[in-house]
């Protein structure tokens, strides 16, 4: 499977979120999955590095708008670059071309990716696919949204997202989904 990993740019080597992303990348590659990330720094870099260091294939989905905003280039572990002009095109290609998605800790961009994937599955614009949110933070955010806006969100819509407390559980979920 091609697994898109969403996560923040502000994780640094030696920090727990970066280290967990390294483990996720390695675990995905060892399980035979291709890794798709936004291609740059932070969690994206860590997942890319983890996958590449165990021989996995890393696709970096990049765009001109990010590089105009922040003067960076794709990380050195990206083996295949899919380049777009806009952030919107970048996000839609991550969402549309993955077979599963995992969201690690992140900020507004990661929340946008989760929300758009969730909505695209909800309206059947993309097939239902595993969408795993890792850590208590995402579950709290989605539960708060679901509770506050419950008149607008059907219970079955909530079921399009899965939650994993940690990387190992996310990998087990993906590998079970892959083999079912």
């Amino acid at each position: 499977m091609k697994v898109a990993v969403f996560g923040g740019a502000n994780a640094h080597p030696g920090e727990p979120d970066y280290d967990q992303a390294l483990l996720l990348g390695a675990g995905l590659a060892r399980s035979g999955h291709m890794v798709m990330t936004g291609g740059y720094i932070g969690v994206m870099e860590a997942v890319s590095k983890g996958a590449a260091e165990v021989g996995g294939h890393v696709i970096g989905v990049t765009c001109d708008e990010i590089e105009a905003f922040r003067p960076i280039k794709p990380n050195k572990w990206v083996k295949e670059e899919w380049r777009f002009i806009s952030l919107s095109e970048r996000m839609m290609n991550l969402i549309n071309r993955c077979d599963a998605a995992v969201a690690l800790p992140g900020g507004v961009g990661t929340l946008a990716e989760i929300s758009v994937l969730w909505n695209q599955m909800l309206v059947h614009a993309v097939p239902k696919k595993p969408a795993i949110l890792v850590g208590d933070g995402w579950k709290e955010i989605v539960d708060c949204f679901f509770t506050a806006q419950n008149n607008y969100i059907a219970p079955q819509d909530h079921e399009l997202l899965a939650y994993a407390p940690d990387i190992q559980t996310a990998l087990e979920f993906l590998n079970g989904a892959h083999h079912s």
Side-chain angles (χ1 to χ4, degrees):
M1 288 193 300
K2 283 193 299 271
V3 179
V5 180
F6 308 137
N10 293 332
H12 302 285
E15 295 177 354
D17 289 344
Y18 190 97
D19 293 343
Q20 289 300 299
L22 276 170
L23 292 174
L24 177 63
L28 289 170
R30 284 189 185 110
S31 298
H33 304 299
M34 282 187 280
V35 172
M36 298 172 65
T37 74
Y40 296 112
I41 58 177
V43 166
M44 298 169 280
E45 174 186 291
V47 169
S48 300
K49 180 180 180 184
E53 286 183 341
V54 299
H57 188 73
V58 178
I59 301 166
V61 184
T62 63
C63 75
D64 296 343
E65 286 180 348
I66 290 285
E67 292 179 23
F69 165 72
R70 180 182 288 147
I72 56 174
K73 296 292 177 197
N75 70 66
K76 67 182 181 180
W77 294 280
V78 168
K79 301 282 190 256
E80 179 180 346
E81 184 181 7
W82 296 352
R83 187 166 191 82
F84 300 94
I85 294 170
S86 73
L87 187 59
S88 178
E89 289 173 297
R90 173 184 180 241
M91 179 170 45
M92 293 312 296
N93 273 277
L94 274 164
I95 289 167
N96 291 334
R97 296 171 77 177
C98 72
D99 301 306
V102 177
L104 297 176
V108 174
T110 307
L111 179 60
E113 290 162 336
I114 293 166
S115 298
V116 171
L117 172 60
W118 190 12
N119 187 252
Q120 292 287 291
M121 289 191 301
L122 190 138
V123 301
H124 308 286
V126 299
K128 288 182 186 175
K129 54 185 85 177
I132 306 162
L133 283 56
V134 179
D136 293 337
W138 291 125
K139 182 153 180 30
E140 289 175 25
I141 289 167
V142 174
D143 284 349
C144 180
F145 176 67
F146 193 67
T147 300
Q149 303 298 326
N150 67 358
N151 291 337
Y152 299 97
I153 307 168
Q156 64 269 21
D157 297 345
H158 199 234
E159 295 168 8
L160 292 171
L161 301 175
Y163 303 93
D166 53 43
I167 297 301
Q168 188 57 42
T169 305
L171 287 166
E172 289 168 6
F173 182 89
L174 271 177
N175 291 329
H178 180 60
H179 293 98
S180 60

